[in-house]
Amino acid sequence: ETGVTQTPRHLVMGMTNKKSLKCEQHLGHNAMYWYKQSAKKPLELMFVYNFKEQTENNSVPSRFSPECPNSSHLFLHLHTLQPEDSALYLCASSQERVGTEAFFGQGTRLTVV
Amino acid sequence: AQKVTQAQTEISVVEKEDVTLDCVYETRDTTYYLFWYKQPPSGELVFLIRRNSFDEQNEISGRYSWNFQKSTSSFNFTITASQVVDSAVYFCALLNSGYALNFGKGTSLLVTP
């Protein structure tokens, strides 16, 4: 059982839908991340939150909107996605100190139809 | 610029064979951190090891060992006496300043009985 939990595990949505991915960590960490994993491509960092403040937005399209209400929860709100946005979305958390390892959830497999 | 190269896309071995996964990195920083993660079919990335750039000591953990050589910018991972449960995708990652892990494309390891 991982200390980082993501829901849902699988999601199929139409291009006009609005949905949200949820991530919760039970590790007492203060930094949380969203990564995107597409087929045949390296994992891409999307967003970084440190103590609930967004510290990094890696040129992500505005159809992806993150929200971090507290250090334990992270959301990724999705709207008007494209089929190329289909991927595995991974949430991670770490201590706020630079150089520490990140712990990942099992991901949400997103399919946009 | 920082970059991680995992030249081996797929490796297939028979159980009990030893296997080495290669990782070559590029960075101009003198302080950096290297990681290995395992991604089983379930999806989550499992943290295996972290090394900082000032610690070139090799490490062994059970059947796993890591060889860090700054002279060749390599951080290779060896599994001794491989088992079917070792089948997964293995990622090498580099972290400089900040929180963003730079991942290689991963090596898919298949261990057959």
Side-chain angles (χ1 to χ4, degrees):
Chain A
E1 184 176 336
T2 177
V4 180
T5 304
Q6 290 185 242
T7 55
R9 291 293 310 280
H10 301 272
L11 177 63
V12 179
M13 60 184 289
M15 288 189 284
T16 58
N17 291 158
K18 291 184 179 180
K19 296 287 184 183
S20 296
L21 309 185
K22 179 183 176 182
C23 175
E24 183 175 359
Q25 59 96 0
H26 309 277
L27 301 169
H29 294 160
N30 287 305
M32 295 189 76
Y33 314 78
W34 281 114
Y35 280 85
K36 177 184 178 181
Q37 186 177 26
S38 306
K40 309 295 184 184
K41 293 177 69 176
L43 281 93
E44 304 170 64
L45 178 68
M46 300 176 72
F47 301 104
V48 179
Y49 277 82
N50 193 25
F51 287 98
K52 301 187 297 178
E53 298 297 321
Q54 185 178 131
T55 57
E56 195 156 339
N57 176 338
N58 205 21
S59 302
V60 180
S62 60
R63 56 186 184 270
F64 295 91
S65 175
E67 178 190 0
C68 188
N70 55 62
S71 293
S72 299
H73 294 85
L74 184 64
F75 295 89
L76 187 62
H77 303 299
L78 315 171
H79 64 97
T80 59
L81 294 192
Q82 304 299 312
E84 58 265 28
D85 296 322
S86 299
L88 181 67
Y89 288 85
L90 289 158
C91 174
S93 70
S94 72
Q95 296 288 354
E96 67 277 11
R97 292 175 289 112
V98 173
T100 57
E101 59 272 21
F103 291 85
F104 286 79
Q106 291 184 301
T108 295
R109 175 68 63 185
L110 174 67
T111 303
V112 181
V113 297
Chain B
Q2 49 180 332
K3 182 181 176 182
V4 175
T5 301
Q6 294 180 256
Q8 304 149 309
T9 305
E10 295 179 352
I11 300 176
S12 183
V13 299
V14 177
E15 207 169 20
K16 298 184 183 177
E17 287 185 8
D18 299 347
V19 59
T20 295
L21 310 181
D22 298 332
C23 173
V24 174
Y25 62 92
E26 296 177 28
T27 180
R28 294 180 180 174
D29 290 353
T30 55
T31 301
Y32 53 89
Y33 304 85
L34 294 164
F35 302 80
W36 275 96
Y37 283 85
K38 173 182 179 181
Q39 187 177 36
S42 54
E44 82 277 20
L45 273 77
V46 178
F47 166 73
L48 296 178
I49 189 172
R50 175 191 63 168
R51 296 309 264 180
N52 71 56
S53 52
F54 301 107
D55 183 3
E56 283 193 76
Q57 195 169 27
N58 292 330
E59 184 157 336
I60 297 175
S61 177
R63 297 184 295 108
Y64 295 171
S65 62
W66 290 269
N67 185 347
F68 177 26
Q69 293 194 341
K70 290 178 73 172
S71 61
T72 56
S73 296
S74 65
F75 186 41
N76 296 338
F77 173 30
T78 297
I79 302 175
T80 303
S82 59
Q83 300 176 1
V84 173
V85 293
D86 296 327
S87 297
V89 181
Y90 291 86
F91 292 92
C92 180
L94 169 67
L95 179 65
N96 291 31
S97 58
Y99 302 91
L101 283 164
N102 271 275
F103 284 90
K105 291 186 177 182
T107 296
S108 179
L109 174 65
L110 177 64
V111 182
T112 55

